[in-house]
Amino acid sequence: KDQRIKGYFYLHHMHKQDWLEENWVNTWANKQPIEDIREYFGEEIGLYFVWLGYILTSLWVPAIVGVMVFLVSMVAAGQSGSTDNP
């Protein structure tokens, strides 16, 4: 009937949805298929996932440094018997 509603709501394609689930959702070690995400969800959502991947990748270094500082402080606390700052 009225085709205007299709311009506002994205119609899901099951084949593409299954492909994204197999190659993106269920695989955490591979890179994100950014172009496929952009084609399926649109520019804004694709850009969001690019930004999210960038932020998560860039936060690995501070996370590792934080874990190392925590472990060193636990070793120091075990040796001195106190968690107070010297």
Side-chain angles (χ1 to χ4, degrees):
K1 290 182 176 184
D2 192 4
Q3 297 294 322
R4 289 182 289 174
I5 195 74
K6 291 182 180 180
Y8 293 105
F9 298 105
Y10 191 80
L11 301 177
H12 295 282
H13 303 288
M14 292 307 293
H15 173 68
K16 189 67 171 178
Q17 195 173 23
D18 292 339
W19 186 90
L20 280 173
E21 184 175 344
E22 181 180 319
N23 294 307
W24 177 41
V25 176
N26 295 331
T27 58
W28 59 272
N30 296 340
K31 287 188 171 188
Q32 296 184 50
I34 297 300
E35 285 299 315
D36 296 316
I37 295 168
R38 184 189 60 79
E39 288 175 8
Y40 188 76
F41 290 109
E43 295 284 334
E44 293 176 356
I45 303 296
L47 184 61
Y48 169 75
F49 282 110
V50 168
W51 175 250
L52 190 62
Y54 171 75
I55 290 296
L56 288 176
T57 302
S58 65
L59 287 177
W60 275 105
V61 173
I64 291 170
V65 170
V67 167
M68 289 172 45
V69 167
F70 174 75
L71 292 175
V72 167
S73 67
M74 288 295 112
V75 169
Q79 290 176 352
S80 68
S82 174
T83 57
D84 293 337
N85 289 333

